[in-house]
């Protein structure tokens, strides 16, 4: 499945009960063992406080076991992921104590893949989320996936988070960028380098980098690609002639 096809499917989501099936299709399309979304602060502020939003392709047995054991208190993916900006490869937790080794061992026994990765999403109103995938790839396959398919997952995660906000009735505030910030993002979205953007816009590469950095800060984006994704979804970019 191409990323634009995935994003088109996400854009069609209007009800919360559509999201688990969507995750299943994403999992199958990218050869993942499981896919999960965990969101916090995604609810309309006028509604009573509820537990974090969870949509997964995990077995119900693992979800029940996880809750019964209170694993949220020791799960390093949750404890670390909701404070990080960059993707988290679960192998970094491999040297943990006995309780963590038992936790990941049980996760594998309940059907999660032997390898996992999580992609954090930071919203504009204190909302945040984790989009996590697992697979039973060999080390070589895993490294190849990190260099290829996994580059699409931060964009998919951000769009999925927007779909959850949409189904939960939580509106995002209007985003505002300067004309130059929009122009730099626009040409970046067309695959232009910083130097090429500067040549097109009559700006120095340093100035282009400054505008891109400013846009990333305003959009709370972790990279130029992430900023372009947010700007596209927000209707800030325009069609080039």
């Amino acid at each position: 499945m191409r990323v634009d096809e995935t994003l088109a499917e996400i854009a069609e989501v209007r009800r919360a009960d559509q999201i688990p099936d969507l995750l299943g299709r994403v999992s199958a399309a990218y050869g993942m063992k499981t896919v999960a979304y965990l969101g916090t602060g995604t609810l309309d502020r006028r509604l009573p406080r509820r537990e974090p939003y969870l949509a997964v392709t995990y077995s119900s047995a693992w979800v029940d076991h996880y809750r019964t054991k209170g694993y949220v208190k020791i799960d390093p993916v949750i404890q670390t992921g909701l404070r990080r900006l960059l993707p988290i490869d679960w192998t970094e937790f491999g040297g943990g104590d006995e309780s963590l080794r038992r936790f990941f061992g049980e996760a594998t026994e309940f059907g999660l893949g032997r390898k996992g990765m999580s992609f954090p999403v930071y919203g504009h109103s204190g909302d945040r989320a984790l989009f996590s995938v697992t697979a039973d790839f060999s080390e070589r396959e895993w490294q190849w996936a990190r260099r290829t398919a996994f580059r699409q997952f931060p964009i998919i995660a951000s769009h999925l988070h927007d779909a959850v906000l949409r189904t939960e009735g939580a509106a995002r505030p209007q985003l505002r960028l300067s004309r130059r910030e929009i122009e730099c993002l626009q040409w970046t979205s067309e695959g232009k380098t910083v130097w090429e953007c500067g040549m097109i816009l009559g700006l120095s590469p340093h100035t282009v980098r400054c505008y891109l950095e400013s846009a990333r800060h305003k959009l709370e984006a972790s990279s130029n690609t992430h900023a372009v994704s947010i700007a596209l979804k927000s209707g800030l970019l325009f069609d080039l002639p």
Side-chain angles (χ1 to χ4, degrees):
M1 179 183 291
R2 290 165 44 188
V3 66
D4 55 346
E5 295 173 345
T6 302
L7 300 185
E9 283 201 45
I10 295 174
E12 295 298 319
V13 170
R14 293 294 180 271
R15 304 189 318 273
D17 60 3
Q18 295 175 304
I19 291 178
D21 288 341
L22 172 65
L23 293 183
R25 292 193 295 275
V26 171
S27 179
Y30 289 92
M32 298 293 107
K33 191 77 178 290
T34 64
V35 174
Y37 168 90
L38 172 71
T40 65
T42 56
L43 302 179
D44 189 321
R45 295 297 191 271
R46 296 168 296 180
L47 299 177
R49 183 72 176 175
R50 296 198 312 206
E51 293 183 357
Y53 186 105
L54 182 67
V56 300
T57 63
Y58 302 155
S59 69
S60 58
W62 170 244
V63 174
D64 292 341
H65 182 73
Y66 185 100
R67 287 174 172 165
T68 300
K69 292 288 188 177
Y71 278 155
V72 69
K73 298 177 182 178
I74 67 166
D75 187 344
V77 177
I78 302 299
Q79 300 299 326
T80 303
L82 292 175
R83 299 195 301 270
R84 290 265 290 267
L85 290 175
L86 298 178
I88 306 160
D89 191 324
W90 295 6
T91 57
E92 70 179 76
F93 306 120
D97 59 24
E98 176 61 29
S99 63
L100 286 184
R101 289 195 293 272
R102 182 171 60 253
F103 166 71
F104 282 112
E106 290 181 3
T108 301
E109 292 174 4
F110 275 88
L112 275 70
R114 295 189 304 272
K115 298 181 184 295
M117 198 156 190
S118 295
F119 303 84
V121 179
Y122 277 71
H124 301 277
S125 301
D127 48 295
R128 59 186 60 182
L130 277 179
F131 177 75
S132 301
V133 299
T134 72
D136 277 336
F137 293 168
S138 67
E139 183 61 26
R140 183 175 181 179
E141 291 171 329
W142 184 252
Q143 294 304 323
W144 174 254
R146 290 192 57 168
R147 294 193 298 270
T148 55
F150 285 8
R151 293 184 177 181
Q152 301 176 4
F153 285 164
I155 299 174
I156 292 172
S158 180
H159 282 250
L160 178 63
H161 185 62
D162 275 351
V164 171
L165 291 174
R166 186 167 62 245
T167 62
E168 291 293 320
R172 282 194 164 183
Q174 185 176 2
L175 303 176
R176 297 185 182 278
L177 298 179
S178 72
R179 179 175 63 86
R180 283 302 197 190
E181 290 166 348
I182 291 173
E183 289 173 341
C184 289
L185 283 177
Q186 181 69 55
W187 287 109
T188 298
S189 75
E190 297 293 325
K192 303 301 182 183
T193 65
V194 167
W195 182 85
E196 289 170 330
C197 288
M199 292 295 293
I200 293 169
L201 299 173
L203 303 171
S204 71
H206 173 74
T207 301
V208 171
R209 291 191 186 94
C210 287
Y211 280 125
L212 289 173
E213 181 179 356
S214 176
R216 291 197 305 270
H217 177 73
K218 289 181 179 179
L219 298 175
E220 299 180 7
S222 58
S223 66
N224 288 340
T225 300
H226 189 196
V228 167
S229 173
I230 295 172
L232 282 169
K233 290 182 296 176
S234 303
L236 295 174
L237 302 189
F238 48 84
D239 293 328
L240 290 173

